[in-house]
Each structure stands twice: as C-alpha cells, then as structure tokens.
Amino acid sequence: MKEILKEALCRAKIDVNDAQIEKFVDFYNFLIETNKKFNLTRIVSENEFVEKHVIDSLSALPFLEKNSLVVDVGSGGGFPGIPLKIVRPDLRITMIDSVLKKVGFLNEAIKLLGLNGAIAVHARAEDFAAENREGFDVCVSRAVAPLSTLLEYCAPLTKVGGRVVAYKGSGANEELAEANKAIDVFGLKLEIKHSYQIQGRASCLLIFKKERRTPNIYPRRNNKPRKDPI
C-alpha cells in the first residue's frame, strides 16, 4: 500500500512525507474495516482507493490558497476532505453530511489520524447554510448532485471572492450548459475548468469564483434544489 501511494503521489507531483503516507494507510484500513459494518464506499482495493479516492481528491490542491477555511459538502466517506487535510495541514476543513453514521465515522477518523483543524458535522447543506452563510473561503464537493443542485448547496456557504470547487466526470460540459442560469443566479462565474484523467476515466474540476452575494432565499428547503433545480 505504501509503495502504491508513493508511486501515485510522485506521478501526480504531490509532495508528501512518511508521516502523511502512514496517515493514508491508517485511513484506508479504518475505512475498509468500517465499510464492513455500513456502506461508505464501493471502492475497496488498494489501487482503486489510491487513484479514485486519494489522487482524485487531491486534484484540487493547486486551487486552494494557504490557510483557507474549507467546507466539504456531502463528504460521505471523507472525500475530498480527509485527503486534502492530510496533505495540507494548514487547511481548516469542515465536512458536512446528512447521514449520522458517516459523520460518526469521519470524526473517529479525524481523531485517529490526529487531524487538528478538521471537524465533521451532521447536517443537511440547506440547514447548515442558515447558520454558516458565506462563512468559508472554499466549498468543495464530490459526486453529490447535478451541478445546478450542487451550486445551490455550495454558493450560499462561500464568501464573496471565494471559490466553489465541483468534482465532475465526463459529463461536465453538459452539466455546465444546463447550469448557466443557476451560475448567474447564485452569484458565480466559471473561473477554471481543469480536465484530467483517473485510470483512463475523464474527470474535471469546475472552479467557480463567487462574485456577488447569493440571494437569501437560497438554498431552498424541502429538497427543492433536487426536485426543482434552477
């Protein structure tokens, strides 16, 4: 596992030390053990964990400024929040998820790995936004919802001048086209489109700049962002 990690991280030009490698190994072992009790991920092999979870999560590193206050919406099994925090201890990361068992796992992982400056919170994104509106420099989210819906969850949490980083796959262009209205309504502007590949699979980071405040009516409650996207 250590050699797989070192090789993949070197190939991705990501500098890590031995202590960080150990944290990734410990996290993998804890994830797999907990996954036997309840579903956290379908990816259980070492190679897939490294490529599809670790390397994919870390693709956002170049776009996160030092000491950023980051919120990870729908963190699930801890991606991208945990890998980002392991490699960048300067980041202060809040991971939110609506599933209590997942939040319990995340907080146990944070304690196990000694990730000071990280916390997991049990909340729906729309409820969390009510108390933490425009409180974060960066909002990251991976595999949570179609782009229009995702931006309604993320934009209200992001400071004006901050960034929303959406991890997307091969359908990124189509989602962008469908989200044109939402991007404008929520006060965002597409800043960077970063395309890359994970094990031959097309992946993409859509990075939005928050140019103006998101109207207070967003995010809507009662699951409206999913049922009736902008």
Side-chain angles (χ1 to χ4, degrees):
M1 180 61 167
K2 291 181 183 179
E3 293 308 312
I4 294 171
L5 275 163
K6 288 179 180 178
E7 181 181 341
L9 291 165
C10 180
R11 189 169 61 248
K13 299 180 180 180
I14 298 170
D15 293 328
V16 294
N17 56 40
D18 289 342
Q20 289 167 323
I21 291 289
E22 290 290 347
K23 288 183 190 296
F24 277 119
V25 173
D26 290 344
F27 180 50
Y28 171 75
N29 289 333
F30 184 52
L31 176 71
I32 296 306
E33 188 62 31
T34 307
N35 205 53
K36 296 175 183 177
K37 303 172 186 176
F38 61 92
N39 183 50
L40 288 167
T41 179
R42 296 189 302 273
I43 296 171
V44 296
S45 76
E46 292 180 351
N47 277 296
E48 283 197 307
F49 170 80
V50 170
E51 294 291 340
K52 294 183 178 180
H53 278 333
V54 174
I55 300 301
D56 190 38
S57 293
L58 296 179
S59 62
L61 282 176
F63 311 106
L64 303 179
E65 295 183 4
K66 190 173 179 61
N67 297 322
S68 289
L69 191 60
V70 180
V71 60
D72 178 5
V73 172
S75 192
F79 307 103
I82 296 286
L84 290 173
K85 182 62 181 176
I86 289 174
V87 176
R88 288 279 303 277
D90 62 287
L91 300 174
R92 292 164 292 162
I93 298 184
T94 299
M95 292 170 277
I96 65 172
D97 201 277
S98 62
V99 179
L100 184 58
K101 285 184 178 180
K102 292 181 179 179
V103 172
F105 160 78
L106 291 172
N107 277 318
E108 287 186 43
I110 288 167
K111 184 178 180 180
L112 173 70
L113 303 174
L115 300 180
N116 297 322
I119 189 172
V121 177
H122 177 228
R124 295 179 64 86
E126 54 268 44
D127 297 329
F128 188 75
E131 298 181 3
N132 298 274
R133 193 167 194 86
E134 298 185 339
F136 296 89
D137 300 309
V138 184
C139 181
V140 298
S141 193
R142 181 171 176 261
V144 167
L147 187 60
S148 294
T149 299
L150 182 64
L151 295 180
E152 184 165 351
Y153 292 143
C154 292
L157 291 167
T158 308
K159 296 177 181 178
V160 174
R163 284 173 163 173
V164 174
V165 180
Y167 290 70
K168 288 295 175 181
S170 58
N173 286 334
E174 290 78 6
E175 289 195 46
L176 261 177
E178 293 171 357
N180 271 333
K181 181 180 178 182
I183 292 167
D184 180 63
V185 167
F186 301 142
L188 303 172
K189 181 180 179 180
L190 181 65
E191 182 182 25
I192 300 167
K193 181 184 172 189
H194 174 62
S195 299
Y196 58 101
Q197 288 200 336
I198 296 292
Q199 292 189 328
R201 176 177 59 89
S203 296
C204 184
L205 290 180
L206 299 176
I207 302 171
F208 300 88
K209 189 83 168 180
K210 177 85 172 275
E211 293 195 317
R212 61 185 187 279
R213 298 196 69 181
T214 303
N216 287 334
I217 62 171
Y218 303 110
R220 296 165 293 165
R221 296 178 183 270
N222 301 319
N223 213 23
K224 285 187 177 180
R226 290 183 183 271
K227 293 178 180 177
D228 184 25
I230 299 297

CSV table of all heavy atoms in Angstrom, one decimal, residues 52-108:
chain,number,residue,atom,x,y,z
A,52,LYS,N,-8.8,6.5,-7.3
A,52,LYS,CA,-10.1,7.1,-7.4
A,52,LYS,C,-10.5,7.9,-6.2
A,52,LYS,O,-11.5,8.7,-6.4
A,52,LYS,CB,-11.1,6.0,-7.7
A,52,LYS,CG,-10.9,5.3,-9.0
A,52,LYS,CD,-12.0,4.2,-9.3
A,52,LYS,CE,-11.8,3.6,-10.7
A,52,LYS,NZ,-12.9,2.5,-10.9
A,53,HIS,N,-9.9,7.7,-5.1
A,53,HIS,CA,-10.2,8.5,-3.9
A,53,HIS,C,-9.2,9.5,-3.6
A,53,HIS,O,-9.4,10.7,-3.5
A,53,HIS,CB,-10.5,7.6,-2.7
A,53,HIS,CG,-11.9,7.0,-2.7
A,53,HIS,ND1,-13.0,7.6,-3.3
A,53,HIS,CD2,-12.4,5.9,-2.1
A,53,HIS,CE1,-14.1,6.9,-3.0
A,53,HIS,NE2,-13.7,5.8,-2.3
A,54,VAL,N,-7.9,9.0,-3.4
A,54,VAL,CA,-6.9,9.9,-2.9
A,54,VAL,C,-6.4,10.9,-4.0
A,54,VAL,O,-6.5,12.1,-3.9
A,54,VAL,CB,-5.6,9.1,-2.4
A,54,VAL,CG1,-4.5,10.0,-2.1
A,54,VAL,CG2,-6.0,8.3,-1.2
A,55,ILE,N,-6.0,10.3,-5.2
A,55,ILE,CA,-5.4,11.2,-6.2
A,55,ILE,C,-6.5,12.1,-6.8
A,55,ILE,O,-6.3,13.3,-7.0
A,55,ILE,CB,-4.8,10.4,-7.4
A,55,ILE,CG1,-3.6,9.5,-6.8
A,55,ILE,CG2,-4.3,11.3,-8.5
A,55,ILE,CD1,-2.5,10.3,-6.2
A,56,ASP,N,-7.7,11.6,-6.9
A,56,ASP,CA,-8.8,12.4,-7.4
A,56,ASP,C,-9.1,13.5,-6.4
A,56,ASP,O,-9.3,14.7,-6.8
A,56,ASP,CB,-10.1,11.5,-7.6
A,56,ASP,CG,-11.2,12.3,-8.3
A,56,ASP,OD1,-10.9,13.1,-9.3
A,56,ASP,OD2,-12.4,12.1,-8.0
A,57,SER,N,-9.2,13.2,-5.2
A,57,SER,CA,-9.5,14.3,-4.2
A,57,SER,C,-8.4,15.3,-4.2
A,57,SER,O,-8.7,16.5,-4.0
A,57,SER,CB,-9.5,13.6,-2.7
A,57,SER,OG,-10.7,12.8,-2.6
A,58,LEU,N,-7.2,14.9,-4.3
A,58,LEU,CA,-6.0,15.9,-4.3
A,58,LEU,C,-5.9,16.7,-5.5
A,58,LEU,O,-5.0,17.6,-5.6
A,58,LEU,CB,-4.7,15.1,-4.0
A,58,LEU,CG,-4.7,14.4,-2.6
A,58,LEU,CD1,-3.4,13.7,-2.4
A,58,LEU,CD2,-4.9,15.4,-1.5
A,59,SER,N,-6.7,16.5,-6.6
A,59,SER,CA,-6.6,17.2,-7.8
A,59,SER,C,-6.9,18.7,-7.6
A,59,SER,O,-6.5,19.6,-8.3
A,59,SER,CB,-7.5,16.7,-8.9
A,59,SER,OG,-8.8,16.7,-8.5
A,60,ALA,N,-7.6,19.0,-6.5
A,60,ALA,CA,-7.9,20.4,-6.2
A,60,ALA,C,-6.8,21.2,-5.5
A,60,ALA,O,-6.9,22.4,-5.3
A,60,ALA,CB,-9.2,20.5,-5.3
A,61,LEU,N,-5.8,20.5,-5.0
A,61,LEU,CA,-4.7,21.2,-4.2
A,61,LEU,C,-4.2,22.5,-4.8
A,61,LEU,O,-4.0,23.5,-4.1
A,61,LEU,CB,-3.5,20.2,-4.0
A,61,LEU,CG,-3.7,19.1,-3.0
A,61,LEU,CD1,-2.5,18.2,-2.9
A,61,LEU,CD2,-3.9,19.7,-1.6
A,62,PRO,N,-3.9,22.6,-6.1
A,62,PRO,CA,-3.3,23.8,-6.7
A,62,PRO,C,-4.3,25.0,-6.6
A,62,PRO,O,-3.8,26.1,-6.7
A,62,PRO,CB,-3.0,23.5,-8.1
A,62,PRO,CG,-3.0,22.0,-8.2
A,62,PRO,CD,-4.0,21.5,-7.2
A,63,PHE,N,-5.5,24.7,-6.3
A,63,PHE,CA,-6.5,25.8,-6.3
A,63,PHE,C,-7.0,26.2,-4.9
A,63,PHE,O,-7.9,27.0,-4.8
A,63,PHE,CB,-7.7,25.4,-7.2
A,63,PHE,CG,-7.3,24.8,-8.5
A,63,PHE,CD1,-7.4,23.5,-8.8
A,63,PHE,CD2,-6.8,25.7,-9.5
A,63,PHE,CE1,-7.0,22.9,-10.0
A,63,PHE,CE2,-6.4,25.2,-10.7
A,63,PHE,CZ,-6.5,23.8,-11.0
A,64,LEU,N,-6.3,25.7,-3.9
A,64,LEU,CA,-6.6,26.1,-2.5
A,64,LEU,C,-5.5,26.9,-1.9
A,64,LEU,O,-4.4,26.4,-1.7
A,64,LEU,CB,-6.8,24.8,-1.7
A,64,LEU,CG,-7.9,23.8,-2.2
A,64,LEU,CD1,-7.9,22.5,-1.3
A,64,LEU,CD2,-9.2,24.4,-2.3
A,65,GLU,N,-5.9,28.1,-1.6
A,65,GLU,CA,-4.9,29.0,-1.0
A,65,GLU,C,-4.5,28.6,0.4
A,65,GLU,O,-5.3,28.0,1.1
A,65,GLU,CB,-5.4,30.5,-1.1
A,65,GLU,CG,-5.5,31.0,-2.5
A,65,GLU,CD,-6.0,32.5,-2.5
A,65,GLU,OE1,-6.1,33.1,-1.4
A,65,GLU,OE2,-6.2,33.0,-3.6
A,66,LYS,N,-3.3,29.0,0.9
A,66,LYS,CA,-2.9,28.7,2.2
A,66,LYS,C,-3.8,29.2,3.3
A,66,LYS,O,-4.3,30.3,3.2
A,66,LYS,CB,-1.5,29.2,2.4
A,66,LYS,CG,-0.8,28.7,3.7
A,66,LYS,CD,0.7,29.2,3.7
A,66,LYS,CE,1.4,28.7,5.0
A,66,LYS,NZ,1.5,27.3,5.1
A,67,ASN,N,-4.0,28.3,4.3
A,67,ASN,CA,-4.8,28.6,5.4
A,67,ASN,C,-6.3,28.9,5.1
A,67,ASN,O,-7.0,29.5,5.9
A,67,ASN,CB,-4.3,29.8,6.2
A,67,ASN,CG,-2.9,29.6,6.8
A,67,ASN,OD1,-2.6,28.5,7.2
A,67,ASN,ND2,-2.0,30.6,6.7
A,68,SER,N,-6.8,28.4,4.0
A,68,SER,CA,-8.2,28.5,3.6
A,68,SER,C,-9.1,27.8,4.6
A,68,SER,O,-8.8,26.8,5.1
A,68,SER,CB,-8.4,28.0,2.2
A,68,SER,OG,-7.8,28.8,1.2
A,69,LEU,N,-10.2,28.4,4.8
A,69,LEU,CA,-11.3,27.8,5.6
A,69,LEU,C,-12.2,27.1,4.5
A,69,LEU,O,-12.8,27.8,3.7
A,69,LEU,CB,-12.1,28.9,6.3
A,69,LEU,CG,-13.1,28.5,7.3
A,69,LEU,CD1,-12.5,27.7,8.5
A,69,LEU,CD2,-13.8,29.7,7.9
A,70,VAL,N,-12.3,25.8,4.6
A,70,VAL,CA,-12.9,24.9,3.6
A,70,VAL,C,-14.1,24.2,4.2
A,70,VAL,O,-14.0,23.7,5.3
A,70,VAL,CB,-11.8,23.9,3.0
A,70,VAL,CG1,-12.5,23.1,2.0
A,70,VAL,CG2,-10.6,24.7,2.5
A,71,VAL,N,-15.1,24.1,3.4
A,71,VAL,CA,-16.3,23.2,3.8
A,71,VAL,C,-16.4,22.2,2.6
A,71,VAL,O,-16.4,22.5,1.5
A,71,VAL,CB,-17.6,24.0,4.0
A,71,VAL,CG1,-18.0,24.8,2.7
A,71,VAL,CG2,-18.7,23.1,4.4
A,72,ASP,N,-16.5,20.9,3.1
A,72,ASP,CA,-16.7,19.8,2.2
A,72,ASP,C,-18.2,19.4,2.3
A,72,ASP,O,-18.6,18.8,3.3
A,72,ASP,CB,-15.8,18.7,2.5
A,72,ASP,CG,-15.9,17.4,1.7
A,72,ASP,OD1,-16.7,17.4,0.7
A,72,ASP,OD2,-15.2,16.4,2.0
A,73,VAL,N,-19.0,19.6,1.2
A,73,VAL,CA,-20.4,19.3,1.3
A,73,VAL,C,-20.7,17.9,0.8
A,73,VAL,O,-20.3,17.5,-0.3
A,73,VAL,CB,-21.2,20.3,0.4
A,73,VAL,CG1,-22.6,19.9,0.3
A,73,VAL,CG2,-21.1,21.7,1.0
A,74,GLY,N,-21.3,17.1,1.7
A,74,GLY,CA,-21.6,15.7,1.3
A,74,GLY,C,-20.4,14.9,1.3
A,74,GLY,O,-20.1,14.1,0.4
A,75,SER,N,-19.6,15.0,2.4
A,75,SER,CA,-18.3,14.3,2.5
A,75,SER,C,-18.3,12.8,2.4
A,75,SER,O,-17.4,12.2,2.0
A,75,SER,CB,-17.5,14.8,3.7
A,75,SER,OG,-16.2,14.4,3.7
A,76,GLY,N,-19.4,12.2,2.9
A,76,GLY,CA,-19.6,10.8,2.8
A,76,GLY,C,-18.5,10.0,3.6
A,76,GLY,O,-18.3,10.1,4.8
A,77,GLY,N,-17.6,9.3,2.8
A,77,GLY,CA,-16.5,8.5,3.4
A,77,GLY,C,-15.3,9.4,3.6
A,77,GLY,O,-14.2,8.9,4.0
A,78,GLY,N,-15.4,10.7,3.4
A,78,GLY,CA,-14.3,11.6,3.7
A,78,GLY,C,-13.6,12.2,2.5
A,78,GLY,O,-12.5,12.6,2.7
A,79,PHE,N,-14.3,12.2,1.4
A,79,PHE,CA,-13.6,12.6,0.2
A,79,PHE,C,-14.4,13.8,-0.4
A,79,PHE,O,-15.6,13.8,-0.6
A,79,PHE,CB,-13.6,11.5,-0.9
A,79,PHE,CG,-13.0,10.2,-0.3
A,79,PHE,CD1,-13.8,9.2,0.1
A,79,PHE,CD2,-11.6,10.1,-0.1
A,79,PHE,CE1,-13.2,8.0,0.6
A,79,PHE,CE2,-11.0,9.0,0.5
A,79,PHE,CZ,-11.9,7.9,0.8
A,80,PRO,N,-13.6,14.9,-0.7
A,80,PRO,CA,-12.2,15.0,-0.7
A,80,PRO,C,-11.5,15.5,0.6
A,80,PRO,O,-10.3,15.7,0.7
A,80,PRO,CB,-12.0,16.1,-1.8
A,80,PRO,CG,-13.1,17.0,-1.7
A,80,PRO,CD,-14.3,16.1,-1.3
A,81,GLY,N,-12.4,15.8,1.6
A,81,GLY,CA,-11.9,16.4,2.8
A,81,GLY,C,-10.7,15.8,3.5
A,81,GLY,O,-9.7,16.5,3.8
A,82,ILE,N,-10.8,14.5,3.8
A,82,ILE,CA,-9.7,13.8,4.5
A,82,ILE,C,-8.3,13.9,3.8
A,82,ILE,O,-7.3,14.3,4.3
A,82,ILE,CB,-10.1,12.4,4.9
A,82,ILE,CG1,-11.2,12.4,5.9
A,82,ILE,CG2,-8.9,11.7,5.5
A,82,ILE,CD1,-10.9,12.8,7.3
A,83,PRO,N,-8.3,13.5,2.5
A,83,PRO,CA,-7.0,13.5,1.8
A,83,PRO,C,-6.5,15.0,1.7
A,83,PRO,O,-5.2,15.2,1.8
A,83,PRO,CB,-7.4,13.0,0.4
A,83,PRO,CG,-8.5,12.1,0.6
A,83,PRO,CD,-9.3,12.7,1.7
A,84,LEU,N,-7.3,15.9,1.5
A,84,LEU,CA,-6.9,17.3,1.4
A,84,LEU,C,-6.2,17.7,2.7
A,84,LEU,O,-5.2,18.4,2.8
A,84,LEU,CB,-8.0,18.3,1.1
A,84,LEU,CG,-8.5,18.2,-0.4
A,84,LEU,CD1,-9.8,19.1,-0.5
A,84,LEU,CD2,-7.5,18.6,-1.4
A,85,LYS,N,-6.9,17.4,3.8
A,85,LYS,CA,-6.3,17.7,5.2
A,85,LYS,C,-5.0,17.0,5.5
A,85,LYS,O,-4.1,17.6,6.1
A,85,LYS,CB,-7.4,17.4,6.2
A,85,LYS,CG,-7.0,17.8,7.6
A,85,LYS,CD,-6.8,19.3,7.8
A,85,LYS,CE,-6.4,19.7,9.2
A,85,LYS,NZ,-6.0,21.1,9.4
A,86,ILE,N,-4.9,15.8,5.1
A,86,ILE,CA,-3.7,15.0,5.3
A,86,ILE,C,-2.5,15.7,4.7
A,86,ILE,O,-1.4,15.9,5.3
A,86,ILE,CB,-3.8,13.6,4.9
A,86,ILE,CG1,-4.7,12.8,5.8
A,86,ILE,CG2,-2.4,12.9,4.9
A,86,ILE,CD1,-5.0,11.4,5.3
A,87,VAL,N,-2.7,16.1,3.4
A,87,VAL,CA,-1.6,16.7,2.6
A,87,VAL,C,-1.4,18.2,3.0
A,87,VAL,O,-0.2,18.7,2.9
A,87,VAL,CB,-1.8,16.5,1.1
A,87,VAL,CG1,-0.7,17.2,0.3
A,87,VAL,CG2,-1.8,15.0,0.8
A,88,ARG,N,-2.5,18.9,3.3
A,88,ARG,CA,-2.4,20.3,3.6
A,88,ARG,C,-2.9,20.6,5.0
A,88,ARG,O,-4.1,21.0,5.2
A,88,ARG,CB,-3.2,21.1,2.6
A,88,ARG,CG,-2.6,21.1,1.2
A,88,ARG,CD,-1.5,22.2,1.1
A,88,ARG,NE,-2.1,23.5,1.4
A,88,ARG,CZ,-2.8,24.3,0.6
A,88,ARG,NH1,-3.0,23.9,-0.7
A,88,ARG,NH2,-3.2,25.4,1.0
A,89,PRO,N,-2.1,20.4,6.0
A,89,PRO,CA,-2.5,20.6,7.4
A,89,PRO,C,-2.9,22.0,7.7
A,89,PRO,O,-3.6,22.3,8.6
A,89,PRO,CB,-1.2,20.3,8.2
A,89,PRO,CG,-0.4,19.4,7.4
A,89,PRO,CD,-0.7,19.8,6.0
A,90,ASP,N,-2.5,23.0,6.8
A,90,ASP,CA,-2.8,24.4,7.0
A,90,ASP,C,-4.3,24.7,6.8
A,90,ASP,O,-4.9,25.6,7.3
A,90,ASP,CB,-2.0,25.3,6.1
A,90,ASP,CG,-2.3,25.0,4.6
A,90,ASP,OD1,-1.8,23.9,4.1
A,90,ASP,OD2,-2.9,25.8,4.0
A,91,LEU,N,-5.0,23.8,6.0
A,91,LEU,CA,-6.4,24.0,5.7
A,91,LEU,C,-7.2,23.7,6.9
A,91,LEU,O,-7.0,22.7,7.6
A,91,LEU,CB,-6.8,23.1,4.5
A,91,LEU,CG,-6.1,23.3,3.2
A,91,LEU,CD1,-6.5,22.2,2.2
A,91,LEU,CD2,-6.3,24.7,2.6
A,92,ARG,N,-8.2,24.5,7.1
A,92,ARG,CA,-9.2,24.3,8.2
A,92,ARG,C,-10.5,23.7,7.5
A,92,ARG,O,-11.1,24.5,6.8
A,92,ARG,CB,-9.4,25.5,9.0
A,92,ARG,CG,-8.2,26.0,9.8
A,92,ARG,CD,-8.3,27.4,10.3
A,92,ARG,NE,-8.3,28.3,9.1
A,92,ARG,CZ,-8.7,29.6,9.2
A,92,ARG,NH1,-9.2,30.1,10.3
A,92,ARG,NH2,-8.6,30.4,8.1
A,93,ILE,N,-10.8,22.5,7.8
A,93,ILE,CA,-11.8,21.8,7.0
A,93,ILE,C,-13.0,21.4,7.9
A,93,ILE,O,-12.8,20.7,8.9
A,93,ILE,CB,-11.2,20.6,6.2
A,93,ILE,CG1,-10.2,21.1,5.2
A,93,ILE,CG2,-12.3,19.9,5.5
A,93,ILE,CD1,-9.6,20.0,4.4
A,94,THR,N,-14.2,21.8,7.4
A,94,THR,CA,-15.4,21.3,8.0
A,94,THR,C,-16.1,20.4,7.0
A,94,THR,O,-16.3,20.8,5.8
A,94,THR,CB,-16.4,22.5,8.3
A,94,THR,OG1,-15.7,23.3,9.3
A,94,THR,CG2,-17.7,21.9,8.9
A,95,MET,N,-16.4,19.1,7.4
A,95,MET,CA,-17.0,18.2,6.5
A,95,MET,C,-18.5,18.0,7.0
A,95,MET,O,-18.7,17.7,8.2
A,95,MET,CB,-16.3,16.8,6.5
A,95,MET,CG,-14.9,16.9,5.9
A,95,MET,SD,-13.9,15.4,6.1
A,95,MET,CE,-13.3,15.8,7.7
A,96,ILE,N,-19.4,18.2,6.1
A,96,ILE,CA,-20.8,18.0,6.5
A,96,ILE,C,-21.5,16.9,5.7
A,96,ILE,O,-21.1,16.6,4.5
A,96,ILE,CB,-21.6,19.3,6.3
A,96,ILE,CG1,-21.8,19.7,4.8
A,96,ILE,CG2,-21.0,20.4,7.1
A,96,ILE,CD1,-22.7,20.9,4.6
A,97,ASP,N,-22.3,16.1,6.4
A,97,ASP,CA,-23.1,15.1,5.7
A,97,ASP,C,-24.4,14.9,6.5
A,97,ASP,O,-24.5,15.1,7.7
A,97,ASP,CB,-22.2,13.8,5.7
A,97,ASP,CG,-22.7,12.8,4.7
A,97,ASP,OD1,-23.7,12.0,4.9
A,97,ASP,OD2,-22.1,12.8,3.6
A,98,SER,N,-25.4,14.4,5.7
A,98,SER,CA,-26.7,14.3,6.3
A,98,SER,C,-26.9,12.9,7.0
A,98,SER,O,-27.9,12.7,7.6
A,98,SER,CB,-27.8,14.5,5.2
A,98,SER,OG,-27.7,13.5,4.2
A,99,VAL,N,-25.9,12.0,6.8
A,99,VAL,CA,-26.0,10.6,7.4
A,99,VAL,C,-25.2,10.6,8.7
A,99,VAL,O,-24.0,10.7,8.6
A,99,VAL,CB,-25.6,9.6,6.4
A,99,VAL,CG1,-25.7,8.2,7.0
A,99,VAL,CG2,-26.4,9.7,5.1
A,100,LEU,N,-25.9,10.4,9.8
A,100,LEU,CA,-25.2,10.4,11.1
A,100,LEU,C,-24.1,9.4,11.2
A,100,LEU,O,-23.0,9.7,11.8
A,100,LEU,CB,-26.3,10.2,12.2
A,100,LEU,CG,-25.8,10.3,13.6
A,100,LEU,CD1,-25.2,11.7,13.9
A,100,LEU,CD2,-26.9,10.0,14.6
A,101,LYS,N,-24.3,8.2,10.7
A,101,LYS,CA,-23.2,7.2,10.8
A,101,LYS,C,-22.0,7.6,10.1
A,101,LYS,O,-20.9,7.3,10.6
A,101,LYS,CB,-23.7,5.8,10.2
A,101,LYS,CG,-24.7,5.1,11.1
A,101,LYS,CD,-25.1,3.7,10.5
A,101,LYS,CE,-26.0,2.9,11.4
A,101,LYS,NZ,-26.3,1.6,10.9
A,102,LYS,N,-22.1,8.2,9.0
A,102,LYS,CA,-20.9,8.7,8.2
A,102,LYS,C,-20.2,9.8,9.0
A,102,LYS,O,-19.0,9.8,9.0
A,102,LYS,CB,-21.4,9.2,6.8
A,102,LYS,CG,-21.8,8.1,5.9
A,102,LYS,CD,-22.2,8.6,4.5
A,102,LYS,CE,-22.7,7.4,3.7
A,102,LYS,NZ,-23.1,7.9,2.3
A,103,VAL,N,-21.0,10.7,9.6
A,103,VAL,CA,-20.4,11.8,10.4
A,103,VAL,C,-19.6,11.2,11.6
A,103,VAL,O,-18.5,11.6,11.9
A,103,VAL,CB,-21.4,12.8,10.9
A,103,VAL,CG1,-20.8,13.8,11.8
A,103,VAL,CG2,-22.0,13.5,9.6
A,104,GLY,N,-20.2,10.2,12.2
A,104,GLY,CA,-19.5,9.5,13.3
A,104,GLY,C,-18.2,8.9,12.9
A,104,GLY,O,-17.2,9.0,13.5
A,105,PHE,N,-18.2,8.2,11.7
A,105,PHE,CA,-17.0,7.6,11.1
A,105,PHE,C,-16.0,8.7,10.9
A,105,PHE,O,-14.8,8.6,11.2
A,105,PHE,CB,-17.3,6.9,9.8
A,105,PHE,CG,-16.1,6.7,8.9
A,105,PHE,CD1,-15.2,5.7,9.2
A,105,PHE,CD2,-15.9,7.5,7.8
A,105,PHE,CE1,-14.1,5.5,8.4
A,105,PHE,CE2,-14.8,7.4,7.0
A,105,PHE,CZ,-13.9,6.4,7.3
A,106,LEU,N,-16.4,9.8,10.3
A,106,LEU,CA,-15.5,10.9,10.0
A,106,LEU,C,-14.8,11.5,11.2
A,106,LEU,O,-13.6,11.7,11.2
A,106,LEU,CB,-16.2,12.0,9.2
A,106,LEU,CG,-16.6,11.7,7.8
A,106,LEU,CD1,-17.5,12.8,7.2
A,106,LEU,CD2,-15.5,11.4,6.9
A,107,ASN,N,-15.6,11.7,12.2
A,107,ASN,CA,-15.0,12.3,13.5
A,107,ASN,C,-14.0,11.3,14.1
A,107,ASN,O,-13.0,11.7,14.7
A,107,ASN,CB,-16.1,12.7,14.4
A,107,ASN,CG,-16.6,14.1,14.1
A,107,ASN,OD1,-15.8,15.0,13.7
A,107,ASN,ND2,-17.9,14.3,14.1
A,108,GLU,N,-14.3,10.0,14.0
A,108,GLU,CA,-13.4,9.0,14.5
A,108,GLU,C,-12.1,9.0,13.7
A,108,GLU,O,-11.0,8.8,14.3
A,108,GLU,CB,-14.1,7.6,14.5
A,108,GLU,CG,-15.1,7.4,15.6
A,108,GLU,CD,-15.7,6.0,15.6
A,108,GLU,OE1,-14.8,5.0,15.5
A,108,GLU,OE2,-16.9,5.8,15.7
